[in-house]
Amino acid sequence: MSEDPIAAAQADGRSTLTEAEAKSLLADAGIETPAFAVAADSDGAVDAAEDIGFPVVVKVSSPSVTHKSEWADGAGVAIGLDSAAAVREAAAEIFDAADARGIDADVLVEEARDVDAGTEVIVGGLRDPSFGPVVLTGLGGIFTEVYEDTSHRIAPIDAAEAREAIEELTAIELLEGYRGRDPADVDALADVVAAVGDLVDEHEAISEVDVNPVLATSEGAVALDALVVLGGDA
């Protein structure tokens, strides 16, 4: 995605980036994301899946949809799709669900990752009215609001400070290989935390970044989902 995603959203009068735009921003900041493509119809979704390689995940892609999994019927996300037929069906269902809600949407097709292979972590950033740019990390996925295990730093921070923030978490035991689990690459996760802090610090138009989950494994850290909200100064 060659166009500046922040500039594109501002030109459209949007306050949120699509997931594809957010992941493009993360990738430009050096954060790993799954391979992905955006498709405007079911045929395009199949072509994208074949280029990426099965299995894939298909999600609704629209600035109007910030939390895809919260659609009551679960129609916003389809995972573990291992054939062209499955992708075509899932994409068609997403387009139908979007039409039923009056939403203009594409679909995001991306490489599937095994979430059981690591620990889900949240990495976020915000522009606090008192402290300015702040970056946080903590236990992610569905456990973010349950355990509220987070650590905060004023951005920007370097990788060493990011690692210190991670080591403050109760979840550090999971990341270090609790009960025989493979330990995560905490240095790679620290790089993600520092990079998100840099994004909020360097782009005054960003008011919030929510990367949840980041999948932390023994092989690195990859951003599986991302939300960027605009609202600061351009």
Side-chain angles (χ1 to χ4, degrees):
M1 188 175 295
S2 59
E3 188 177 14
D4 177 357
I6 294 176
Q10 290 173 326
D12 291 342
R14 294 188 275 119
S15 61
T16 59
L17 304 190
T18 65
E19 183 178 342
E21 289 170 332
K23 284 183 173 173
S24 175
L25 192 67
L26 297 182
D28 287 344
I31 298 171
E32 183 184 354
T33 71
F36 67 88
V38 176
D41 54 38
S42 296
D43 288 340
V46 171
D47 290 342
E50 290 176 340
D51 287 342
I52 292 169
F54 297 103
V56 296
V57 176
V58 176
K59 309 176 184 178
V60 62
S61 178
S62 170
S64 301
V65 183
T66 56
H67 296 288
K68 296 164 284 297
S69 62
E70 292 180 1
W71 281 15
D73 53 8
V77 181
I79 63 174
L81 305 177
D82 58 4
S83 69
V87 170
R88 188 181 303 278
E89 180 180 358
E93 289 179 355
I94 289 173
F95 285 124
D96 287 346
D99 287 342
R101 291 165 171 79
I103 294 172
D104 183 19
D106 295 319
V107 293
L108 176 69
V109 182
E110 71 177 23
E111 169 192 7
R113 296 294 183 101
D114 179 10
V115 296
D116 292 330
T119 301
E120 291 181 294
V121 178
I122 183 173
V123 179
L126 58 87
R127 192 168 298 279
D128 184 87
S130 298
F131 297 104
V134 175
V135 63
L136 68 89
T137 187
L139 193 62
I142 62 174
F143 300 109
T144 300
E145 296 179 0
V146 175
Y147 292 108
E148 298 182 349
D149 180 22
T150 58
S151 179
H152 300 73
R153 291 292 188 279
I154 296 174
I157 60 174
D158 60 22
E161 292 172 297
R163 186 178 180 109
E164 289 176 359
I166 295 166
E167 290 175 344
E168 290 177 358
L169 301 172
T170 303
I172 188 61
E173 293 186 28
L174 296 176
L175 294 168
E176 291 179 336
Y178 182 70
R179 290 196 173 181
R181 292 166 59 95
D182 290 335
D185 185 343
V186 178
D187 288 335
L189 179 58
D191 287 340
V192 173
V193 175
V196 169
D198 287 343
L199 279 175
V200 180
D201 179 56
E202 295 169 3
H203 296 277
E204 294 185 357
I206 294 177
S207 63
E208 179 183 347
V209 178
D210 185 2
V211 191
N212 186 23
V214 175
L215 184 64
T217 73
S218 59
E219 299 179 352
V222 57
L224 299 188
D225 202 351
L227 171 66
V228 174
V229 179
L230 306 180
D233 297 328

